[in-house]
Amino acid sequence: MLDWLPYPHDFSAQLRDAVRADSAAERVGRLIALSQYRLDFLQTIQLNRAMDTILLQAGEVLPHYRLAILGSATVEHLAPAIRVAALRRQLWVDVYCCGYGQYRQEIMDPGSALHRFAPQTILFSIATMHAVPAVEPAATADEVDRLTGGVVEDLKSLWRRARQDLGAAIIHQTLLNVTEPLFGSFDRLVPGSPWRVVERLNHFLAETASAEGVSLLDIARAAQRDGQDSWFDAARMLQAKQEIAPQSAPMYGELVARLLGAHRGKSRKCLVLDLDNTLWGGVLGDDGVTGLVLGQGSAAGEAYLGVQRYARQLKERGIILAVCSKNDPVAAEEAFSSHPEMILKRSDIAAFMANWDDKAQNLEAIAGQLNIGLDSLVFLDDNPVERARVREALPVVAVPELPDDVSGYVRRLADAGYFEAISFTMEDQQRASQYSQNVERESMRGSAQSVDEFLQGLQMFVQYGPFAAVDLPRVTQLINKTNQFTPTTRRYSAEQIANYLSTAGTINLQFRLRDRFGDNGLVSAMLMLPVEGAAGCIEIDTWVMSCRVFGRQLEYEAMNIAVETARCNGIREIIATYIPTQKNSVIRDLYPKLGFRAANLPNQNPEASRWSLLLSEYIPCATHITREVRRP
Amino acid sequence: MTAGEVLKSFTQILRDLLGDDSIVLSPSTRRIDVSGWDSFNYVNFVVAVEMKFGVKFGVAEVESFQTVGEIVQRTLALLQASPR
């Protein structure tokens, strides 16, 4: 388990040094570094305890995030692994575990410790033995559906209650199918067999979770992958009422943290591929295009095809692909265009860096070219020296350990779960081609005489309007994934956003941008909330814009539209806040640029600045973007 | 492996588990002699020992162990019984 992470060197000494480091930032930084290693069950407990010893100082360095685990069995032993895996993603999580089997009471009782804890996310960890209804082997399919459907309906009402009363995002774990064969292989054909009943429960769970916007933690799938015995140990269930065996706790924590990370925009966005002995066998510079091992007819050649096929699938679900290789650039491009067995085409690659420079430098250049953070990159390279070098120079880039043999590359990359998703939107499907279009746009920028000429030549159109129901998944994704163009960096769940929409006086706008090279999709969203006790005044609570469309004047046109919309709603003044983070300095001057004045308003955060715009003073900005009425 | 070596290894496991480097186990040590060695951490200890030595204790054994020495002896017996 966790075998994409490298083993630590002298873990105990590193841990000791970490808690003794000079400053809080240094201590937290060292613990984050340690969390990047492949830690076993005992080391995980040790790192978790070290987090506790520096708890007080850490709040200044990383924001705390509250997770409640509502378990029907013992779950306390899972908390350290969840916290360590979250730390791996630079998330500091405080965990609350409900009393054994007390989850229902704690949700219902507004005075419970759960309510006092005020979790931002609730993880329902209901053990199979507690969820399975009593079903006779002779039960008909309809009876099984009625009983299992009833169990899931009951869970659904708990989700709704928890969401409504606590305002928390919900995660529910799938059921480990730890049933023993009753009929043997025939189990699969008998509706009332224990195995079938659990499968049916998981089926309804997935259907209902999807309809309710609940994220599934698929431990059933993970147990299938790792082997049921490593996840469930009858001895532990008997001794400590643990459904999840302690040795699987690190993986359980990793799976939970992937979801927490995905909710907070921490999933990786881009796969950067080495070429020689990663995408094909052999060394291009020595063997030439015709000498490469790639394609049908050889086991190794087919294995490299497998790597390409998986990368291609990732691209189709919205992961950006890039190349970073020590190679001659012309030869590398030629291999893409002229090798007949290549599954990946040059047009699949949004950023192509083949040269003799240091790979860490090239990765920085790739992040810059794509306008995404280094912490969005995964770097796949067969060479352990290069991997170690990149980890050393750029610790925020994910660099999976690879097995010696290429036959295991795809599985290892998949196991690492870098690209965990909680939704799959139209924008995801089109993203990769949008990045390729950006490469074309940039080459046009190079030939344009001026920025103005470039922007005019793009022939941009904006479509805008209030959020429609169909926009909500993408708007939620944008609000939670955007790290740069986000003046307040507030994160909201889909249900919170839906709640705002029904709040009187709220103005919300979404913007889509297309140009002659293609449609960028929904790239910006703005949420303005009425200011209490100040009629005619509204505040920009949240405004996000995809980094793909920076530098296209969309922020100006969006503000023109926002001001007109506000005027139609009788608004006289728009208030705005800029809260600096490590990542949003690109819009430090956003509001003054748009004509806002510094406002002397109460400020909870001393770092933040407040801004005000009197609509009577607003002068619309001329842009090269034409407005379009939204298609119905 | 000798009983002394197993005992030394147990001491390290319990130190790591409880975060207390002052712990020194002897064959006669009982759980109540070690601060923080509650039932939760007893299961954790059993898991860590099983993982470290590649052995598996029976559920009845785990309930019946009175002293560290008994766990050491049982571990040695399981190690000898398992094919190398």
Side-chain angles (χ1 to χ4, degrees):
Chain A
M1 278 182 207
L2 308 186
D3 43 11
W4 59 93
L5 299 174
Y7 281 110
H9 303 287
D10 203 353
F11 173 78
S12 303
Q14 283 204 59
L15 190 64
R16 207 168 38 240
D17 292 350
V19 290
R20 287 178 190 163
D22 289 336
S23 66
E26 179 73 18
R27 284 190 283 269
V28 172
R30 286 191 184 209
L31 292 188
I32 291 174
L34 268 177
S35 70
Q36 310 301 323
Y37 289 105
R38 184 176 173 182
L39 306 181
D40 64 25
F41 154 76
L42 200 50
Q43 289 167 328
T44 303
I45 289 176
Q46 290 173 269
L47 182 50
N48 175 61
R49 191 172 41 245
M51 288 175 74
D52 283 336
T53 63
I54 64 161
L55 182 65
L56 289 175
Q57 299 103 319
E60 306 146 24
V61 182
L62 286 183
H64 285 219
Y65 189 65
R66 293 181 306 281
L67 169 73
I69 314 176
L70 302 188
S72 71
T74 302
V75 291
E76 278 79 1
H77 64 301
L78 305 171
I82 294 172
R83 297 184 74 211
V84 167
L87 192 63
R88 202 170 289 141
R89 291 158 178 79
Q90 317 223 9
L91 292 171
W92 191 283
V93 174
D94 295 331
V95 174
Y96 168 80
C97 298
C98 79
Y100 180 82
Q102 295 293 305
Y103 57 97
R104 197 178 295 271
Q105 293 88 320
E106 295 208 27
I107 290 172
M108 299 299 176
D109 174 9
S112 68
L114 172 68
H115 281 257
R116 283 198 299 281
F117 179 71
Q120 287 146 301
T121 298
I122 293 179
L123 165 60
F124 282 87
S125 176
I126 311 300
T128 304
M129 62 177 291
H130 298 129
V132 171
V135 178
E136 301 283 324
T140 64
D142 284 347
E143 284 166 346
V144 171
D145 279 4
R146 187 172 52 77
L147 288 165
T148 51
V151 169
V152 174
E153 277 299 305
D154 176 49
L155 291 172
K156 184 171 92 178
S157 65
L158 278 179
W159 296 342
R160 288 187 171 179
R161 186 71 185 263
R163 181 182 274 165
Q164 187 189 324
D165 293 359
L166 290 151
I170 309 288
I171 300 174
H172 196 105
Q173 80 184 29
T174 55
L175 299 161
L176 290 180
N177 200 336
V178 290
T179 53
E180 307 304 343
L182 194 60
F183 299 94
S185 296
F186 193 59
D187 273 354
R188 203 181 273 273
L189 309 181
V190 181
S193 76
W195 187 87
R196 272 277 296 261
V197 170
V198 176
E199 291 301 299
R200 205 66 190 145
L201 270 172
N202 273 335
H203 167 78
F204 285 126
L205 206 49
E207 251 184 6
T208 313
S210 168
E212 294 287 304
V214 163
S215 298
L216 277 188
L217 175 73
D218 201 355
I219 61 170
R221 172 91 182 268
Q224 227 170 40
R225 160 73 180 82
D226 300 331
Q228 201 89 261
D229 288 349
S230 63
W231 276 79
F232 178 81
D233 181 337
R236 302 302 164 236
M237 182 49 111
L238 294 164
Q239 288 164 341
K241 298 286 176 284
Q242 294 170 343
E243 188 195 35
I244 312 296
Q247 65 265 33
S248 277
M251 190 60 201
Y252 185 94
E254 167 72 17
L255 293 179
V256 173
R258 281 177 196 170
L259 287 176
L260 295 178
H263 280 283
R264 313 289 283 181
K266 296 270 187 183
S267 293
R268 306 268 166 176
K269 295 173 183 164
C270 174
L271 174 64
V272 187
L273 299 151
D274 169 51
L275 297 178
D276 293 339
N277 292 316
T278 300
L279 272 200
W280 54 62
V283 176
L284 183 59
D286 296 340
D287 306 322
V289 173
T290 51
L292 297 179
V293 180
L294 180 68
Q296 307 296 334
S298 99
E302 289 183 34
Y304 289 107
L305 276 189
V307 176
Q308 296 202 11
R309 196 173 294 118
Y310 189 64
R312 171 88 197 199
Q313 284 180 316
L314 286 173
K315 186 209 154 191
E316 285 164 357
R317 61 146 278 201
I319 304 303
I320 312 161
L321 300 183
V323 160
C324 175
S325 163
K326 286 190 174 153
N327 249 310
D328 177 74
V330 177
E333 298 244 8
E334 200 205 315
F336 272 77
S337 57
S338 69
H339 198 294
E341 295 278 351
M342 288 287 291
I343 290 177
L344 289 178
K345 303 297 176 208
R346 178 60 186 84
S347 58
D348 293 322
I349 311 295
F352 198 98
M353 286 290 189
N355 54 45
W356 302 101
D357 295 341
D358 177 49
K359 288 198 175 178
Q361 269 177 35
N362 278 327
L363 287 164
E364 287 187 295
I366 286 169
Q369 204 176 320
L370 298 172
N371 201 10
I372 55 179
L374 277 168
D375 58 4
S376 294
L377 303 186
V378 173
F379 180 46
L380 196 72
D381 195 319
D382 67 295
N383 183 336
V385 178
E386 296 285 8
R387 295 199 296 261
R389 156 79 193 132
V390 169
R391 278 194 204 110
E392 164 88 32
L394 305 172
V396 297
V397 173
V399 186
E401 280 298 274
L402 288 182
D404 291 336
D405 190 64
V406 60
S407 65
Y409 286 6
V410 169
R411 181 144 201 192
R412 184 60 59 82
L413 176 62
D415 279 346
Y418 295 122
F419 306 111
E420 188 81 10
I422 47 170
S423 61
F424 184 41
T425 64
M426 191 69 91
E427 271 71 17
D428 292 323
Q429 294 163 39
Q430 295 165 351
R431 177 170 309 114
S433 59
Q434 287 162 353
Y435 274 92
S436 301
Q437 290 158 9
N438 258 2
V439 175
E440 294 175 50
R441 289 185 186 100
E442 287 307 311
S443 72
M444 182 184 132
R445 185 198 292 272
S447 61
Q449 294 295 315
S450 67
V451 176
D452 236 30
E453 188 188 298
F454 163 66
L455 291 172
Q456 192 172 3
L458 279 178
Q459 298 162 17
M460 294 182 285
F461 291 88
V462 64
Q463 264 185 19
Y464 63 96
F467 305 164
V470 62
D471 300 325
L472 270 188
R474 170 60 179 162
V475 166
T476 310
Q477 185 185 49
L478 202 57
I479 285 177
N480 289 295
K481 279 176 88 167
T482 303
N483 294 313
Q484 298 186 76
F485 193 112
T486 172
T488 53
T489 320
R490 292 190 181 120
R491 311 296 196 191
Y492 292 123
S493 61
E495 47 277 13
Q496 285 173 309
I497 296 168
N499 279 345
Y500 278 131
L501 298 194
S502 52
T503 308
T506 300
I507 297 178
N508 66 86
L509 288 165
Q510 51 81 25
F511 305 91
R512 294 164 188 269
L513 188 69
R514 72 176 174 85
D515 61 31
R516 58 183 274 209
F517 292 103
D519 189 351
N520 292 285
L522 199 168
V523 287
S524 181
M526 192 191 276
L527 179 64
M528 295 191 275
L529 304 179
V531 178
E532 239 175 86
C537 190
I538 201 161
E539 171 151 10
I540 301 176
D541 177 86
T542 293
W543 185 11
V544 289
M545 190 179 294
S546 163
C547 52
R548 294 201 304 273
V549 296
F550 284 6
R552 310 270 179 82
Q553 299 180 326
L554 181 59
E555 62 272 38
Y556 295 101
E557 197 56 35
M559 187 50 69
N560 291 343
I561 291 167
V563 167
E564 286 172 29
T565 311
R567 277 197 188 119
C568 291
N569 284 273
I571 301 296
R572 281 175 289 105
E573 182 182 8
I574 298 178
I575 304 288
T577 305
Y578 170 69
I579 307 171
T581 67
Q582 279 177 359
K583 294 201 166 173
N584 71 358
S585 59
V586 63
I587 52 159
R588 199 174 26 223
D589 300 324
L590 173 69
Y591 288 119
K593 264 178 20 194
L594 292 170
F596 282 65
R597 293 171 199 258
N600 188 17
L601 288 165
N603 222 340
Q604 291 176 342
N605 181 339
E607 306 260 304
S609 53
R610 307 285 310 260
W611 302 88
S612 152
L613 179 71
L614 293 175
L615 300 198
S616 56
E617 293 178 0
Y618 184 71
I619 302 158
C621 293
T623 70
H624 292 290
I625 303 174
T626 310
R627 294 195 199 172
E628 265 184 327
V629 179
R630 181 170 181 169
R631 287 188 299 264
Chain B
M1 188 170 265
T2 67
E5 286 165 344
V6 174
L7 186 66
K8 200 172 155 202
S9 178
F10 280 15
T11 298
Q12 190 54 51
I13 286 172
L14 201 60
R15 285 178 175 184
D16 289 346
L17 191 60
L18 301 181
D20 180 355
D21 283 348
S22 72
I23 292 172
V24 180
L25 296 179
S26 77
S28 61
T29 308
R30 293 162 305 164
R31 252 174 52 206
I32 50 162
D33 301 328
V34 181
S35 156
W37 202 5
D38 54 15
S39 58
F40 179 70
N41 278 314
Y42 180 51
V43 173
N44 281 340
F45 176 79
V46 168
V47 170
V49 169
E50 288 186 351
M51 285 168 81
K52 166 107 185 169
F53 290 94
V55 297
K56 185 92 185 158
F57 302 113
V59 287
E61 289 173 349
V62 171
E63 278 180 323
S64 70
F65 291 136
Q66 297 295 321
T67 64
V68 168
E70 288 170 34
I71 311 178
V72 170
Q73 290 309 318
R74 184 59 188 147
T75 303
L76 283 169
L78 286 169
L79 283 174
Q80 273 155 17
S82 68
R84 281 276 96 188

